[in-house]
C-alpha cells in the first residue's frame, strides 16, 4: 500500500490546501531494493518521506563495518532535526525492499511549520517521541541483558506472531546494542524453550507472554551499580 503525506504524524492535521502545496513541490521516485536514498554526511536539504516499502538506516564504524541503526517501514520521514538546523544526513538510507519516496524541499517544509500550528505541534511531539525512544534504547542497553533486549524487540515488532528480520540478526543486534553472535545465542535459547521458531529471515513468536516476562525481569549484570528504577 502506498501512503500519502497525510499519513505522516506531522502532516496529519494539515488541511487539504496545505497538503496540495506540499504535493505540488514533492519529487516522487520509485527505487528497487538496494538503492541508496542518501549518504551519511550529505547536506539534508530535503525531507525524505518513505511512502511505501522499508528502509534501513546505517552508519560506517571506524573499522569500516556497516552498523544498522534501524529498519523503518512506511510511512516515515527521515532526518527532521537536521532539516531544521541545516545539518547533514546522520545515516545512509538504503532501500530494503522496493520503495516509493517523496522528496520535499526544505523551504516548503519550513514554510508549513511556520504557517501551520498543527504541523509545528505534531513535529514537536514526533521529535519528543524520538528522544524518548532513544532514551529507552540507551537505558535498555544498560539495565537489560541481551536476552531481555531481544525478547523486548520481538514482542514490540511481532505482527500476527511473525517478525521479519529485514536486516538479519546483525541488524537486530545493531538496533539493541548487541553482536550478531549474542543475538543468535538468545534466539536459539528461546527456540529450545519453544518460545519462538527461527525461520529463513524471520522469527515466529510462539509465546509472547513468556517473552514479555523475560523482557521485564532479566537485568543486566551491573555489579550493583544501577540504583535508579526505569519505567
Amino acid at each position: 500500500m502506498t501512503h500519502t503525506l497525510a499519513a505522516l504524524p506531522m502532516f496529519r492535521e494539515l488541511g487539504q490546501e496545505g497538503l496540495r502545496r506540499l504535493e505540488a513541490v514533492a519529487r516522487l521516485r520509485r527505487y528497487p531494493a538496494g538503492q541508496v536514498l542518501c549518504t551519511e554526511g550529505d547536506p539534508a536539504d530535503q525531507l525524505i518521506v518513505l511512502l511505501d516499502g522499508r528502509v534501513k538506516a546505517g552508519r560506517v564504524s571506524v573499522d569500516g563495518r556497516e552498523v544498522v541503526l534501524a529498519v523503518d517501514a512506511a510511512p516515515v520521514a527521515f532526518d527532521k532535526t537536521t532539516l531544521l538546523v541545516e545539518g547533514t544526513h546522520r545515516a545512509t538510507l538504503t532501500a530494503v525492499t522496493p520503495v516509493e519516496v517523496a522528496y520535499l524541499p526544505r523551504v516548503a517544509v519550513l514554510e508549513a511549520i511556520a504557517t501551520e500550528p498543527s504541523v509545528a505541534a505534531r513535529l514537536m511531539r514526533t521529535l519528543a517521541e524520538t528522544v524518548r525512544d532513544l532514551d529507552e534504547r540507551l537505558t535498555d542497553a544498560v539495565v537489560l541483558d541481551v536476552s531481555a533486549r531481544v525478547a523486548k524487540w520481538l514482542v514490540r515488532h511481532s505482527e500476527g506472531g511473525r517478525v521479519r528480520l529485514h536486516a538479519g540478526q546483525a541488524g537486530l543486534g545493531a538496533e539493541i546494542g548487541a553482536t550478531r553472535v549474542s543475538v543468535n545465542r538468545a534466539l536459539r535459547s528461546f527456540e529450545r524453550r519453544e518460545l519462538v521458531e527461527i525461520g529463513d529471515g524471520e522469527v515466529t513468536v510462539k509465546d509472547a507472554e513468556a517473552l514479555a516476562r523475560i523482557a521485564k525481569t532479566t537485568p543486566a549484570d551491573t555489579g550493583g551499580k544501577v540504583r535508579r528504577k526505569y519505567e
Side-chain angles (χ1 to χ4, degrees):
M1 173 182 178
T2 298
H3 297 274
T4 66
L5 295 179
L8 285 177
M10 65 184 291
F11 296 140
R12 191 166 294 159
E13 296 179 10
L14 186 61
Q16 289 299 315
E17 182 179 347
L19 286 171
R20 282 195 293 268
R21 284 198 298 268
L22 288 178
E23 290 169 352
V25 296
R27 183 165 55 93
L28 299 178
R29 293 291 186 271
R30 289 183 179 271
Y31 297 118
Q35 176 71 41
V36 174
L37 308 184
C38 70
T39 303
E40 176 186 351
D42 286 348
D45 54 1
Q46 300 178 90
L47 184 68
I48 301 177
V49 181
L50 181 64
L51 300 175
D52 194 28
R54 290 179 180 269
V55 165
K56 70 175 179 179
R59 303 189 70 174
V60 178
S61 66
V62 292
D63 58 357
R65 294 182 298 107
E66 181 192 33
V67 177
V68 178
L69 303 177
V71 178
D72 292 302
V76 63
F78 299 98
D79 286 346
K80 295 178 285 293
T81 53
T82 51
L83 191 75
L84 293 173
V85 297
E86 296 188 68
T88 60
H89 290 294
R90 303 296 303 276
T92 296
L93 302 180
T94 307
V96 176
T97 65
V99 298
E100 182 176 6
V101 179
Y103 294 91
L104 296 177
R106 178 176 182 270
V107 62
V109 177
L110 294 181
E111 180 181 355
I113 295 171
T115 59
E116 297 288 347
S118 65
V119 176
R122 284 281 183 174
L123 178 60
M124 289 179 61
R125 179 168 183 168
T126 300
L127 294 178
E129 290 172 348
T130 300
V131 172
R132 183 184 62 189
D133 181 63
L134 290 173
D135 180 70
E136 182 179 358
R137 288 172 61 181
L138 289 172
T139 300
D140 286 348
V142 173
V143 303
L144 299 179
D145 68 8
V146 174
S147 291
R149 279 179 267 161
V150 172
K152 185 173 183 177
W153 190 93
L154 289 173
V155 171
R156 175 179 292 179
H157 291 83
S158 177
E159 298 177 2
R162 297 175 60 193
V163 184
R164 292 289 299 170
L165 302 180
H166 295 280
Q169 294 183 13
L172 191 165
E175 285 196 55
I176 66 173
T179 65
R180 186 199 64 79
V181 173
S182 59
V183 167
N184 181 263
R185 187 181 300 119
L187 288 174
R188 294 298 178 186
S189 173
F190 295 159
E191 188 173 50
R192 287 192 298 270
R193 295 155 65 183
E194 299 185 347
L195 306 183
V196 305
E197 181 179 334
I198 303 173
D200 185 14
E202 68 178 27
V203 175
T204 301
V205 175
K206 301 172 69 175
D207 193 337
E209 291 184 0
L211 290 175
R213 288 194 295 270
I214 292 172
K216 290 181 179 179
T217 62
T218 310
D221 181 10
T222 59
K225 296 180 181 179
V226 176
R227 300 295 183 184
R228 176 182 172 186
K229 179 180 179 183
Y230 290 86
E231 300 296 340

